[in-house]
Amino acid sequence: MIIYGSRAVHIKSEQSKTAICPSCSTQGSLTLSVFRRHAHIFWIPLFPIGKKGISQCQHCKNVLKTKEMPEPIRREYDILKNKTKGPIWQFAGLGILIVLIAWGSYASAENKKLAGEYIASPMNGDIYEYKIETRSYSTLKVIAVSRDSVFVSPNEYEISKKSRIFKINKPENYSEFSYGISIEKLKEMYDSGEIFDINR
Ligand SMILES: [Zn+2]
């Protein structure tokens, strides 16, 4: 279950010197307060979603929401609202998300760079993850490397989920039998996406 919603945080209050309470007519008795709302998910603030406010009379305790404020009070409230900034922590979730996305794209670019290097200079023990057909994936293990070819032992198992391919990568799953692939052909298989990852 995803728990989400919004919460208002008090960010500023100021006593008005000039405003007149519409309820008891006292001047200078109104306190204007600004709140900023933010969306949250699992109680982590995501981002602000606007401000709201009230005024309260210290004399008669009458409370007005912004839409109930007479024009002069509303104007004074708007000035206070516009010069009041909310706390940066209300952006925490958005910040975390941006960091995660940036990290994810960096990690995937690094992984791609490494895979390109591994395919160009194979080593014994390299594991190639490849696609047999749609929803069918398996691995090949490099068992020998010559000047222009690699010798691979195929995995005897296959799996329908690309992301779970690590589950079949066990030493006992590899066949006794092996065959050669030219490095040129290997590069073709990698460029076409047939081999989609290399683990070393
Ligand atoms: Zn009042």
Side-chain angles (χ1 to χ4, degrees):
M1 190 172 66
I2 296 175
I3 298 164
Y4 63 95
S6 72
R7 196 165 85 85
V9 179
H10 174 242
I11 51 176
K12 181 132 183 140
S13 285
E14 211 170 85
Q15 184 94 17
S16 166
K17 291 185 180 71
T18 52
I20 295 163
C21 175
S23 166
C24 70
S25 303
T26 310
Q27 187 174 23
S29 65
L30 291 183
T31 303
L32 303 171
S33 297
V34 185
F35 298 81
R36 185 162 76 167
R37 272 149 42 82
H38 64 254
H40 66 76
I41 185 159
F42 295 115
W43 298 282
I44 300 168
L46 287 178
F47 48 80
I49 45 176
K51 291 172 184 161
K52 62 174 191 176
I54 56 159
S55 73
Q56 182 171 29
C57 176
Q58 299 311 307
H59 185 248
C60 72
K61 306 295 174 201
N62 184 45
V63 173
L64 298 173
K65 293 178 184 166
T66 45
K67 58 175 184 286
E68 298 162 340
M69 291 174 188
E71 188 50 35
I73 302 178
R74 179 61 196 252
R75 216 177 303 126
E76 212 171 321
Y77 167 77
D78 283 342
I79 292 167
L80 179 65
K81 183 186 87 172
N82 291 335
K83 71 175 185 193
T84 305
K85 289 190 167 61
I88 192 93
W89 61 258
Q90 287 187 306
F91 287 98
L94 197 64
I96 293 169
L97 210 65
I98 289 169
V99 168
L100 284 180
I101 291 169
W103 182 81
S105 68
Y106 169 78
S108 106
E110 277 301 290
N111 189 45
K112 220 171 178 140
K113 203 173 109 193
L114 273 181
E117 286 167 17
Y118 293 165
I119 211 91
S121 54
M123 269 175 67
N124 280 358
D126 283 358
I127 305 287
Y128 300 147
E129 298 181 349
Y130 75 107
K131 184 170 153 181
I132 303 169
E133 56 189 54
T134 311
R135 299 188 60 73
S136 174
Y137 305 93
S138 192
T139 60
L140 299 168
K141 184 198 245 169
V142 176
I143 55 159
V145 180
S146 74
R147 204 173 49 82
D148 56 4
S149 307
V150 294
F151 294 86
V152 294
S153 157
N155 195 315
E156 289 175 340
Y157 294 79
E158 55 186 72
I159 194 157
S160 62
K161 272 206 175 106
K162 209 175 178 175
S163 59
R164 306 228 145 210
I165 199 160
F166 65 93
K167 287 200 154 184
I168 60 167
N169 181 25
K170 293 176 186 159
E172 65 269 27
N173 289 359
Y174 289 95
S175 166
E176 295 289 310
F177 150 85
S178 71
Y179 59 91
I181 307 174
S182 72
I183 290 181
E184 203 177 324
K185 171 74 181 157
L186 208 59
K187 280 181 181 152
E188 265 176 48
M189 289 168 79
Y190 178 68
D191 290 339
S192 71
E194 190 180 343
I195 292 176
F196 57 86
D197 201 9
I198 298 122
N199 298 316
R200 177 171 289 181

